[in-house]
């Protein structure tokens, strides 16, 4: 009888462990915590990218700061979750900051991650100390269509069906063409393509559609914290620059700079310039 009791207890213990450790991640992201320091930095990557897009930046700052590096669910091999959306991800990041008692973090975001940094600073001004936005705009769609108005119930089924129907080869070829326009550094371009290829296709399509329908321009006056805005060289010329400047005009705390060279991934393509701007805004010591 004693043997049976021990066996039952063991089975119950194993079942409990399976339940506890087998539970899905409640957050729509994975987080790598590193470094030591009273001030916290939160790194948010861009569309379909791993948090390792920030590896070079994090290496500089984790000596003196506590760093939280996010990779969003469904991107770069992180398991996908249901209900992925820009707003849901923003809400989840706020929940993580509050649950982990991260006091007044500096939020650094690239591309869509920069959009999330803007949204967080606008919607939760009491929560954020500073933001750094690397090549992101309050409304990217308005550059191509000045009359753009976000749709309340945006239908993403078309683009989702199109992208999920692609073969792996077709999808990778699409990303190769896209990244050639976004990353000058050929070695890092291959890395970024690899992150895209390992992303969940439905999340990829849905978030592309959702972010394309995101317009944060009306929220810019609500941002109270200092904001460093670093934009690629291509945005500094022609008719594009006045449109971009207009989008940021109501962000009164903005410190806006255009890179000397490179494309969308400024942290790779214009590294010296990037760190020169960043180190003025966030001291390394």
């Amino acid at each position: 009888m004693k043997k049976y009791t021990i066996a039952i207890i063991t089975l119950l213990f194993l079942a409990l462990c399976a339940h506890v450790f087998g539970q899905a991640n409640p957050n729509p992201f994975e987080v790598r915590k590193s470094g030591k320091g009273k001030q916290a930095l939160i790194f948010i990557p861009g569309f379909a990218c791993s948090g390792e897009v920030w590896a070079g930046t994090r290496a500089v700052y984790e000596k003196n700061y506590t760093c939280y590096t996010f990779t969003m669910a469904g991107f770069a091999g992180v398991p996908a979750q249901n209900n992925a959306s820009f707003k849901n991800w923003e809400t989840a990041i706020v929940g993580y900051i509050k649950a982990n008692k991260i006091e007044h973090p500096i939020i650094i975001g690239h591309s869509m991650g920069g959009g999330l940094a803007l949204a967080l600073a606008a919607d939760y001004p009491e929560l954020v100390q500073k933001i750094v936005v690397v090549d992101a705009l309050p409304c990217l769609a308005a550059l191509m269509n000045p009359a753009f108005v976000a749709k309340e119930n945006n239908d993403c089924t078309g683009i989702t069906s199109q992208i999920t129907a692609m073969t792996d080869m077709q999808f990778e070829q699409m990303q190769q063409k896209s990244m050639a326009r976004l990353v000058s550094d050929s070695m890092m371009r291959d890395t970024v393509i690899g992150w895209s290829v390992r992303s969940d296709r439905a999340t990829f399509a849905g978030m592309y559609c959702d972010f394309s329908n995101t317009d944060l321009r009306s929220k810019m006056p609500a941002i109270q914290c200092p904001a460093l805005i670093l934009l690629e060289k291509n945005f500094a010329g022609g008719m594009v620059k006045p449109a971009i400047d207009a989008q940021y005009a109501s962000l009164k705390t903005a410190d806006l700079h255009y890179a000397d060279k490179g494309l969308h991934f400024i942290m790779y393509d214009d590294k010296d310039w990037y760190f020169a701007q960043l180190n003025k805004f966030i001291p390394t010591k």
Side-chain angles (χ1 to χ4, degrees), residues 135-150:
D135 216 36
L137 303 177
C139 185
L140 182 61
L143 276 190
M144 297 169 281
N145 176 17
F148 173 80
V149 177

Side-chain angles (χ1 to χ4, degrees), residues 198-253:
R198 295 200 305 276
S199 295
D200 173 70
R201 206 76 68 78
T203 305
F204 182 101
M207 289 306 300
Y208 177 84
C209 179
D210 189 43
F211 187 53
S212 297
N213 189 53
T214 299
D215 187 352
L216 304 173
R217 288 176 292 180
S218 65
K219 293 188 175 187
M220 293 302 96
I223 296 177
Q224 300 172 14
C225 67
L228 177 64
I229 315 296
L230 304 178
L231 300 171
E232 64 180 85
K233 180 183 179 181
N234 289 342
F235 281 161
M239 297 297 295
V240 178
K241 187 176 182 297
I244 291 173
D245 291 344
Q247 287 200 23
Y248 276 115
S250 60
L251 175 49
K252 299 305 180 183
T253 63

Side-chain angles (χ1 to χ4, degrees), residues 2-21:
K2 185 177 181 180
K3 290 181 180 179
Y4 288 122
T5 302
I6 293 173
I8 291 170
I9 291 172
T10 301
L11 288 171
L12 288 172
F13 175 74
L14 290 173
L16 177 63
C17 288
H19 174 71
V20 172
F21 294 105

Side-chain angles (χ1 to χ4, degrees), residues 84-263:
S85 73
F86 185 87
K87 187 61 182 179
N88 286 350
W89 281 0
E90 178 195 353
T91 302
I93 292 170
V94 170
Y96 182 88
I97 291 171
K98 291 180 177 179
N100 289 275
K101 297 180 171 58
I102 304 173
E103 295 185 8
H104 301 105
I106 297 171
I107 299 179
I108 305 173
H110 173 243
S111 191
M112 184 166 63
L116 284 164
L118 289 169
L120 287 162
D123 294 337
Y124 305 91
E126 76 289 349
L127 209 64
V128 180
Q129 183 180 128
K130 293 181 178 180
I131 59 171
V132 178
V133 176
V134 181
D135 216 36
L137 303 177
C139 185
L140 182 61
L143 276 190
M144 297 169 281
N145 176 17
F148 173 80
V149 177
K151 299 176 183 176
E152 286 190 19
N153 297 302
N154 194 32
D155 184 5
C156 295
T157 54
I159 190 169
T160 300
S161 298
Q162 180 184 352
I163 290 179
T164 54
M166 287 181 174
T167 66
D168 291 346
M169 182 178 292
Q170 288 172 332
F171 182 74
E172 184 169 354
Q173 288 173 344
M174 180 185 75
Q175 288 307 101
Q176 287 174 346
K177 290 179 181 179
S178 176
M179 292 305 159
R181 299 190 296 268
L182 299 178
V183 193
S184 296
D185 186 312
S186 59
M187 185 172 68
M188 294 313 303
R189 186 188 307 147
D190 290 340
T191 298
V192 176
I193 291 170
W195 290 334
S196 295
V197 169
R198 295 200 305 276
S199 295
D200 173 70
R201 206 76 68 78
T203 305
F204 182 101
M207 289 306 300
Y208 177 84
C209 179
D210 189 43
F211 187 53
S212 297
N213 189 53
T214 299
D215 187 352
L216 304 173
R217 288 176 292 180
S218 65
K219 293 188 175 187
M220 293 302 96
I223 296 177
Q224 300 172 14
C225 67
L228 177 64
I229 315 296
L230 304 178
L231 300 171
E232 64 180 85
K233 180 183 179 181
N234 289 342
F235 281 161
M239 297 297 295
V240 178
K241 187 176 182 297
I244 291 173
D245 291 344
Q247 287 200 23
Y248 276 115
S250 60
L251 175 49
K252 299 305 180 183
T253 63
D255 184 13
L256 188 65
H257 299 273
Y258 292 89
D260 295 328
K261 62 181 180 180
L263 301 175

